[in-house]
Amino acid sequence: QGLRCLGIGYSKAFMMITRIEDANALNDKLKRADAEADFDADANMEFEDAEGNVLNKKTYTDLVRQGLL
């Protein structure tokens, strides 16, 4: 009930946290870690050319523009 008053959802990470400052700091840390773990489609998308080579999106589009694929 105390975490809800602070606007923090319950998870096991908050099990032994008793101070408000510690709870807020841990919540901020978990939010940052979650934001970093999000999938970045532009950086992580992979393409395969006709020969079976796997390339990331930037490399693939650069090679297509140059007419090499």
Side-chain angles (χ1 to χ4, degrees):
Q1 196 174 30
L3 290 175
R4 276 190 266 150
C5 292
L6 296 173
I8 300 172
Y10 177 76
S11 72
K12 280 190 164 188
F14 294 99
M15 188 70 117
M16 300 300 291
I17 303 295
T18 57
R19 295 179 43 203
I20 293 173
E21 297 84 18
D22 293 341
N24 284 330
L26 181 59
N27 188 42
D28 291 340
K29 181 180 176 183
L30 292 174
K31 283 184 180 178
R32 273 183 276 142
D34 188 39
E36 291 173 359
D38 286 343
F39 179 75
D40 183 15
D42 290 333
N44 297 328
M45 192 177 298
E46 294 180 338
F47 291 86
E48 185 173 349
D49 64 1
E51 297 174 359
N53 299 319
V54 178
L55 309 164
N56 65 5
K57 182 178 180 181
K58 182 181 182 303
T59 305
Y60 181 80
T61 55
D62 288 343
L63 292 174
V64 169
R65 284 187 201 138
Q66 295 173 10
L68 298 174
L69 291 179

